Amino acid sequence: MRYAEAGYNLEIDLTRGNIERVATNPEDSQLYLGGLGTNAKIMWDRVPPEVEAFSPDNLLIFAAGLLCGTPATGCNRTIVTTISPMTELLAFSMMGGFWAPELKYAGYDKVILRGKSPDLVYIWIKDDKVEIRDASHLRGKGAVETAKLICEELKEPKAQVAAIGTAGENRVYFASIEQGRSSASRGGIGAVMGDKGVKAIVVRGTKDIHLARPAEYMQLCDEVMEYIKFRNANPIPGVMPILAILGSPQEMKVHDEKWHTENFMWGNSRERRKDFWSKEVADEWKQTMDQMRTRLISCYNCPMTCGATISPPGKPTYMMKCFSKLTYTMAAFSDLAFGLGIAQAATEHGVDGFSAPQVMAFALELLEAGILTKDDFPGLPEDSEGRFYWLLDHIVHRKGIGDILANGTYWAAKQIGNGAEKYAHNNIKKQEQLPLKLSMLNPIYFLMYATGEKMNITQIEGQFPQAPFTTREEREAFVKDWFQVPDEKFKQYFLDWEQRGDNSIPYYPTPTMCCEIVDWQERMHYIDDALGMCAGLSSFPLKPPYHIHNYPKLISSGAGFEMDEVTLTKAAKRYRTLVRALNTRRGMRRKDEKPPANHWKKRFPELEQELLDTYYAFKGWNEQGIPTEETLRDLGLDYVYEEFEKRGVYSNNGDAPSQTTPAESGKEV
Ligand code: SF4
């Protein structure tokens, strides 16, 4: 008997139209947990570094986390893993909603797609019955519309649908996979789905999931729920409102956007508007939100209502949450009504809400600078809002200049040349980042930005406050009930952290302390991504209900393999190292590990080198960021070491090229 997990994967060869239900090895679950962990193992075993994103040999894996579908509140994440066309490194995007629990109830932990379908298809999974069905009538349809049409066609209103829009069909490098109440957006995973000829994966399941020790598990779940109620009733004082409570940042409820609009950058992450937020703007934006927000909604088995249905006048209803509320508004120097309106079209087309607005603003900057000319934009409207709709349409259909822009700012700048690269200034590892530019280097964030292999800073940070509190009294009050820390020393680090003087950034926390803090933050995210837990209840907020002390108990009583904090930490380190090994094998080296040059105004090159050196050593990586033999053997990753030796990875260091993408190699896209 398998507990918490189904014990079976669905393997679908799209080229041959073959479908297999394959039993999984329970030992892998103990070593790599599930979700991202076992996805990384499969990618290592089956996708060698020569395989490009749009090769039929690339895999696209949809995984439900180890504890998805159990009564654990908020455990509903689908982890989609593939090789990214944007970075040619490993992409692992997460989505909430209802899809992953439904897959578990159908009797599977993962759907693994390989090959390419000759025609556009969708996959219909209803318990043991799995079909590849024609989707030619859905070509060109929006992602949300597709879900509706399929549910009607199948007469299955409760089926969960993960679908791509036109952007995915046209292999836009920042195409997302949309799922009604969530989306997996980063890394262009929707482009890989489109390249494989799959419009949607539809699931309906009616089976049970078994727990090893149900009474103990339910007791733990009850304790989590009690703590959620406590935290919701007692926001943390002294931190910004979106960090004071739990859940993904509560952007659908928060009306006061002074902090975002005055601290984040507008346009293509270029311009800060320090006095933007006035009473008039606040009143107007509140009215817009009140008019368009039709309902607050949650993901499966969660009371947090982080998302909302948005119904812009004259347009279909769609789901929104988080910072995508502002990305289009700020990129176009417009207002909230425009942002909520164009986000409807962008969701239907299926594009990443971080990358798409920056790419569009980038195009307009190039036009303004004379690097692109009016001839590149035939029929472009005069107004900013109209221009954004024009650009969105051209990008998702790869029309005209949109064909180049669809590769993202990094590759588009290379293709355009003539100084365009200067304008692609907000990338890490070739991918657009949060439009944020700051003054003084923050050593903790430096390490997270530089070394993170998830594709967004918000997917790495959390647990430790972003900045010191003003007074020692405030800090003492904060640490009093901070039981989530893995070690008491973190309380002291925070207590001694001052806004000015010797114990302030960039030299405090010290490099060693920074390493420990970053490692703790990253570890919790990686555990969430293997268990399928929403980061909004675990790794992202301060003082969350899930932490390193109760996770081992949940895994032991839920999945039935015994874990304590030491073995869980080691398992997380194992698959985190495997993710790094995958990217190392694909050419990633120290030279790739740097935040955007203009992310901070005040930089400290020597300190930054010391931080990176100290962190690499702390993680058991060599000076190029490659896991050492000792590290790999200690984690039971001997097979990685042997492969590295065979490929000469240790001797092929600083000059190793990162993989080229189709955009760079000039291959047809
Ligand atoms: S906390 Fe928010 S984003 Fe997370 S599962 Fe709950 S509703 Fe979804």
Side-chain angles (χ1 to χ4, degrees):
M1 170 82 81
R2 298 285 281 273
Y3 298 109
E5 57 187 351
Y8 290 93
N9 290 341
L10 256 187
E11 296 259 6
I12 301 180
D13 184 330
L14 294 156
T15 307
R16 294 167 53 223
N18 190 49
I19 302 169
E20 277 178 80
R21 178 173 174 262
V22 179
T24 57
N25 183 352
E27 266 179 35
D28 281 346
S29 303
Q30 296 205 29
L31 288 171
Y32 306 95
L33 301 183
L36 171 64
T38 36
N39 281 8
K41 178 71 166 68
I42 292 167
M43 292 296 288
W44 175 272
D45 289 343
R46 292 168 52 182
V47 185
E50 296 76 21
V51 171
E52 295 181 342
F54 293 149
S55 159
D57 295 331
N58 187 13
L59 299 181
L60 181 64
I61 308 176
F62 290 72
L66 179 67
L67 300 181
C68 279
T70 70
T73 299
C75 198
N76 50 46
R77 258 45 189 173
T78 305
I79 300 94
V80 188
T81 307
T82 192
I83 300 301
S84 161
M86 180 76 87
T87 65
E88 284 293 339
L89 300 173
L90 192 75
F92 46 104
S93 250
M94 272 60 69
M95 59 185 173
F98 287 66
W99 199 90
E102 199 73 38
L103 183 70
K104 283 284 196 72
Y105 299 145
Y108 311 98
D109 298 308
K110 299 184 199 293
V111 178
I112 304 174
L113 304 180
R114 67 176 186 275
K116 292 190 192 196
S117 167
D119 304 302
L120 192 65
V121 296
Y122 73 88
I123 294 159
W124 169 220
I125 303 165
K126 186 170 186 187
D127 294 327
D128 295 337
K129 193 173 161 214
V130 183
E131 294 171 62
I132 300 174
R133 295 175 68 115
D134 172 50
S136 52
H137 57 301
L138 299 169
R139 188 177 295 282
K141 301 278 186 214
V144 182
E145 186 188 4
T146 292
K148 186 170 166 282
L149 290 171
I150 291 178
C151 287
E152 284 168 8
E153 175 177 312
L154 295 171
K155 297 188 177 53
E156 290 278 356
K158 290 187 174 168
Q160 299 300 328
V161 183
I164 54 169
T166 34
E169 282 182 43
N170 292 319
R171 297 186 297 179
V172 172
Y173 281 14
F174 43 93
S176 61
I177 298 172
E178 301 288 329
Q179 191 233 131
R181 295 207 170 183
S182 193
S183 69
S185 298
R186 299 245 88 194
I189 54 172
V192 176
M193 190 157 158
D195 182 63
K196 294 201 171 298
V198 176
K199 181 72 179 171
I201 307 182
V202 190
V203 192
R204 179 78 179 114
T206 58
K207 299 183 186 182
D208 292 328
I209 292 172
H210 303 283
L211 295 168
R213 301 195 292 276
E216 190 182 327
Y217 193 81
M218 290 308 296
Q219 172 68 29
L220 290 161
C221 292
D222 288 347
E223 286 169 17
V224 163
M225 203 56 202
E226 280 308 306
Y227 186 77
I228 290 173
K229 286 185 200 157
F230 165 78
R231 277 294 317 280
N232 282 341
N234 297 276
I236 298 172
V239 295
M240 67 184 93
I242 58 169
L243 292 179
I245 50 173
L246 297 170
S248 113
Q250 296 290 341
E251 283 293 307
M252 297 301 109
K253 295 169 198 161
V254 170
H255 290 298
D256 182 353
E257 291 295 355
K258 181 177 172 61
W259 186 78
H260 274 131
T261 54
E262 294 190 353
N263 287 291
F264 280 45
M265 309 301 277
W266 294 65
N268 176 27
S269 320
R270 284 282 179 195
E271 194 174 320
R272 193 162 160 198
R273 300 172 86 183
K274 281 187 181 163
D275 299 314
F276 172 77
W277 194 251
S278 63
K279 183 170 178 324
E280 291 71 44
V281 174
D283 289 347
E284 186 195 317
W285 286 28
K286 180 174 184 309
Q287 204 183 3
T288 299
M289 201 54 169
D290 286 346
Q291 274 170 1
M292 294 196 195
R293 189 190 63 199
T294 35
R295 198 154 70 91
L296 290 170
I297 54 172
S298 278
C299 306
Y300 175 83
N301 190 22
C302 186
M304 292 305 299
T305 58
C306 302
T309 50
I310 304 289
S311 308
K315 295 185 175 196
T317 297
Y318 69 103
M319 193 282 314
M320 171 176 276
K321 69 178 181 192
C322 273
F323 184 60
S324 47
K325 172 183 172 186
L326 297 179
T327 52
Y328 292 97
T329 295
M330 291 175 66
F333 291 89
S334 187
D335 58 18
L336 188 60
F338 163 76
L340 297 184
I342 195 170
Q344 184 276 327
T347 303
E348 278 290 10
H349 287 307
V351 284
D352 175 6
F354 275 13
S355 286
Q358 284 188 54
V359 172
M360 294 190 262
F362 160 81
L364 295 176
E365 274 190 9
L366 295 187
L367 176 62
E368 206 174 297
I371 294 171
L372 291 173
T373 67
K374 280 196 167 174
D375 293 345
D376 294 309
F377 300 88
L380 184 74
E382 286 301 318
D383 61 306
S384 175
E385 288 85 359
R387 289 178 163 201
F388 266 65
Y389 276 104
W390 187 98
L391 283 163
L392 179 63
D393 177 59
H394 280 68
I395 288 169
V396 299
H397 293 104
R398 281 190 174 274
K399 282 192 289 194
I401 190 69
D403 189 31
I404 292 174
L405 297 172
N407 297 333
T409 57
Y410 179 88
W411 297 112
K414 276 190 177 303
Q415 287 173 279
I416 293 165
N418 194 23
E421 280 174 289
K422 201 167 70 173
Y423 293 80
H425 65 112
N426 199 35
N427 298 315
I428 304 175
K429 296 179 180 121
K430 308 180 177 83
Q431 171 98 25
E432 293 78 16
Q433 298 297 316
L434 262 189
L436 191 57
K437 304 290 168 198
L438 299 165
S439 175
M440 173 63 85
L441 177 93
N442 178 322
I444 301 170
Y445 274 74
F446 169 81
L447 281 179
M448 289 192 292
Y449 272 119
T451 66
E453 281 158 88
K454 301 184 80 168
M455 290 177 165
N456 190 11
I457 191 65
T458 55
Q459 296 172 339
I460 310 169
E461 65 186 347
Q463 307 290 312
F464 201 82
Q466 293 184 4
F469 292 3
T470 315
T471 66
R472 182 143 190 120
E473 289 70 40
E474 286 169 338
R475 301 197 286 273
E476 279 170 355
F478 180 82
V479 303
K480 247 184 209 155
D481 63 349
W482 201 13
F483 61 85
Q484 291 87 349
V485 287
D487 190 297
E488 290 294 303
K489 67 185 170 193
F490 289 100
K491 293 184 180 174
Q492 198 59 47
Y493 296 170
F494 183 64
L495 281 171
D496 293 341
W497 196 13
E498 307 269 2
Q499 289 182 332
R500 284 181 190 80
D502 289 347
N503 276 10
S504 66
I505 59 170
Y507 293 105
Y508 188 95
T510 65
T512 302
M513 291 175 190
C514 288
C515 292
E516 292 169 340
I517 293 165
V518 171
D519 182 67
W520 168 29
Q521 301 195 109
E522 186 184 68
R523 186 194 324 158
M524 297 317 299
H525 280 278
Y526 273 74
I527 293 173
D528 287 346
D529 298 344
L531 302 184
M533 184 58 70
C534 170
L537 293 174
S538 178
S539 46
F540 183 70
L542 300 164
K543 301 186 183 176
Y546 294 103
H547 41 79
I548 194 65
H549 308 303
N550 63 1
Y551 261 155
K553 296 177 199 162
L554 278 153
I555 296 169
S556 303
S557 59
F561 39 86
E562 296 310 312
M563 284 233 151
D564 57 25
E565 290 178 27
V566 174
T567 47
L568 176 57
T569 297
K570 189 161 186 177
K573 187 173 180 186
R574 182 175 298 116
Y575 58 81
R576 193 275 171 265
T577 306
L578 193 53
V579 167
R580 172 141 292 238
L582 271 152
N583 287 333
T584 299
R585 192 171 63 165
R586 299 188 71 81
M588 189 185 79
R589 297 290 186 273
R590 186 182 183 117
K591 66 181 164 51
D592 299 306
E593 306 228 277
K594 45 180 190 264
N598 60 356
H599 186 80
W600 294 281
K601 263 198 203 116
K602 293 180 194 152
R603 299 295 290 263
F604 299 81
E606 278 178 28
L607 173 64
E608 291 173 21
Q609 292 311 312
E610 185 188 349
L611 281 163
L612 215 48
D613 286 339
T614 314
Y615 190 65
Y616 282 177
F618 179 90
K619 294 291 245 190
W621 304 340
N622 71 14
E623 73 286 353
Q624 283 296 330
I626 303 171
T628 63
E629 176 182 1
E630 191 188 354
T631 303
L632 293 170
R633 293 210 188 278
D634 179 55
L635 294 169
L637 299 176
D638 302 71
Y639 58 89
V640 173
Y641 174 70
E642 277 141 32
E643 170 96 354
F644 277 2
E645 276 290 296
K646 198 173 84 191
R647 288 181 175 269
V649 164
Y650 290 111
S651 50
N652 176 16
N653 270 336
D655 296 331
S658 301
Q659 291 279 310
T660 55
T661 75
E664 190 179 47
S665 61
K667 287 181 197 164
E668 193 194 334
V669 289

